Amino acid sequence: MTEAVETVNVALGARAYDVRIGAGLLDRAGAEVAPLLRRPRLAIVTDDNVGRLHLAPLVAALTAQIPGLTVSTLTLPAGEATKGWPEFSRTVEWLLAERIERRDIVVALGGGVIGDLVGFAAAVLRRGVRFVQIPTSLLAQVDSSVGGKTGINSTHGKNLVGAFHQPALVLADIAVLDTLPSRDFLAGYGEVAKYGLLGDAAFFDWLEREGPALAGGDRAGRLKAVARSVEMKAGIVARDETEEGERALLNLGHTFCHALEAATGYSDRLLHGEGVAIGCALAFELSARLGLCAQEEPSRVRAHLRAMGMKVDLSDIPGELPDADELLQLMAQDKKVQDGRLRFILARGIGQAFVADDVPGGVVRGLLADALAGR
Ligand code: GLY
């Protein structure tokens, strides 16, 4: 039986592209990618975790479905440490050594680290080569593979070096999510919940009902959750590609998250999506304290995350955390701070997020102090 595939178009004029979402897309990647090729030549970059599971089947599908195809592959070490200058320059030099040209396609097979790094390599290689994202984590499928943000980390901070470079196609194969450890799946789910919280209350209602089943493996639920998330992101990106306004809403929960990630050393203590979920709960609590939404709203956010078995409170993060002042300081170093003012994405209710500048520091400090004390 052919499984259902949803297609979401990212409407960016001459740079528009499709995000194809469904189970089994990896097995027919050749047929999906073939229309983009000007000659039968591809380079694939992956990491050793993803490569072990998915590289050979992908290469087999591509070579079986594209006559005369030559494929080169590069496998990088898995992990956030890869997303820096050394592996980036290694990738670019490798693509040049493989004589990948502007008419060719570079494929990023992996999670957010690979997608961001390979997208940036494609952006600068010969002043811009087309690339295809094949995201293998839930987080990459619903967020980082769509929208053209590419880049690497610097010693000065995360994602500080990069380019907007839209992919030519995204293939989100939801069957590969079956191979994810539950913790990674749930971390990605933090970004899924974020879409409901920022702009679609009915989607959040649906997640409250169906979330546990889709976390348990329900394919139809996963398809809908990924497709709706991508649809929301595609709409926002099409209206505000370079984050002059509305795109900032995608950062709901992220100012808190970035401070917590910095405080935990970007380690296994807190995955990015876990930080986003905790950050969303804190953003709703902050909104309630500022009188912007009813207290029931943060309670509902927390109840759903709890029902999903996710981290919700600061006490769910193992080990010591810095005090409220230090966390506030880490937020002030977030790159989204403009003119020295703290900027938050707040909400007037579930599905009603907006950008708020000049949030009183004292309220944020009080919120963090209470959260650290478990109040
Ligand atoms: N991950 C946020 C964005 O793509 O804008």
Side-chain angles (χ1 to χ4, degrees), residues 45 74 76-77 79-96 106 113-126 150-154 161-163 165:
V45 183
L74 173 66
L76 302 177
E80 186 74 24
T82 289
K83 207 175 128 175
W85 289 109
E87 296 297 341
F88 172 72
S89 67
R90 177 182 163 199
T91 302
V92 173
E93 294 295 341
W94 175 80
L95 288 166
L96 290 170
V106 180
V113 167
I114 289 295
D116 285 9
L117 180 145
V118 175
F120 186 36
V124 299
L125 185 76
R126 302 183 195 276
T150 72
I152 56 173
N153 303 329
S154 141
V161 180
H165 185 52

Side-chain angles (χ1 to χ4, degrees), residues 16-362:
Y17 55 95
D18 283 340
V19 182
R20 304 262 293 148
I21 305 145
L25 284 168
L26 214 90
D27 297 334
R28 48 179 202 275
E32 298 282 338
V33 171
L36 299 172
L37 292 178
R38 295 180 193 145
R39 64 171 182 163
R41 184 78 177 99
L42 273 178
I44 305 172
V45 183
T46 189
D47 71 36
D48 42 21
N49 282 347
V50 173
R52 203 174 305 121
L53 293 169
H54 304 302
L55 184 58
L58 175 62
V59 170
L62 290 166
T63 46
Q65 292 156 29
I66 302 173
L69 183 71
T70 304
V71 194
S72 305
T73 67
L74 173 66
T75 301
L76 302 177
E80 186 74 24
T82 289
K83 207 175 128 175
W85 289 109
E87 296 297 341
F88 172 72
S89 67
R90 177 182 163 199
T91 302
V92 173
E93 294 295 341
W94 175 80
L95 288 166
L96 290 170
E98 292 296 318
R99 301 189 188 284
I100 296 299
E101 300 178 3
R102 293 188 70 179
R103 59 189 160 157
D104 300 331
I105 294 277
V106 180
V107 175
L109 172 69
V113 167
I114 289 295
D116 285 9
L117 180 145
V118 175
F120 186 36
V124 299
L125 185 76
R126 302 183 195 276
R127 299 196 179 86
V129 170
R130 292 167 305 148
F131 80 115
V132 170
Q133 291 267 24
I134 304 189
T136 55
S137 68
L138 179 58
L139 190 135
Q141 292 192 353
V142 298
D143 183 32
S144 57
S145 68
V146 179
K149 279 190 181 175
T150 72
I152 56 173
N153 303 329
S154 141
T155 48
H156 295 278
K158 282 184 73 172
N159 297 324
L160 291 181
V161 180
F164 283 101
H165 185 52
Q166 300 291 342
L169 174 70
V170 181
L171 297 178
D173 185 339
I174 59 165
V176 308
L177 302 178
D178 295 349
T179 61
L180 287 183
S182 148
R183 184 178 177 198
D184 289 328
F185 183 89
L186 287 178
Y189 184 85
E191 297 277 2
V192 174
K194 179 193 80 177
Y195 287 105
L197 293 173
L198 76 88
D200 187 346
F203 182 45
F204 190 77
D205 292 346
W206 181 83
L207 290 172
E208 285 180 315
R209 289 194 306 276
E210 304 297 332
L214 73 89
D218 173 54
R219 278 275 172 84
R222 287 182 174 196
L223 180 63
K224 176 166 171 172
V226 175
R228 180 61 191 138
S229 300
V230 168
E231 194 177 52
M232 288 189 68
K233 178 146 189 187
I236 291 172
V237 167
R239 290 187 292 274
D240 178 22
E241 183 182 8
T242 54
E243 202 170 313
E244 305 299 318
E246 186 185 359
R247 187 165 180 167
L249 298 181
L250 296 173
N251 297 325
L252 177 64
H254 281 61
T255 301
F256 288 109
C257 171
H258 289 161
L260 293 170
E261 282 184 295
T264 49
Y266 302 99
S267 69
D268 197 37
R269 283 173 65 196
L270 185 72
L271 303 179
H272 176 70
E274 293 173 334
V276 170
I278 295 173
C280 285
L282 287 170
F284 269 77
E285 180 61 34
L286 181 57
S287 304
R289 289 189 181 203
L290 291 168
L292 295 163
C293 71
Q295 185 56 51
E296 289 72 46
E297 303 286 68
S299 303
R300 202 175 143 196
V301 176
R302 294 166 49 78
H304 177 53
L305 299 177
R306 203 44 94 204
M308 293 296 292
M310 297 170 69
K311 290 186 170 65
V312 184
D313 295 317
L314 297 189
S315 57
D316 295 327
I317 302 170
E320 292 290 308
L321 286 174
D323 65 17
D325 283 316
E326 254 181 87
L327 283 176
L328 204 59
Q329 195 54 40
L330 289 168
M331 283 178 195
Q333 283 165 7
D334 188 286
K335 71 177 189 299
K336 287 183 289 298
V337 175
Q338 290 184 341
D339 309 328
R341 293 175 300 175
L342 272 177
R343 177 179 231 222
F344 283 90
I345 311 303
L346 298 178
R348 296 193 174 85
I350 285 170
Q352 298 172 61
F354 67 99
V355 181
D357 291 305
D358 286 332
V359 174

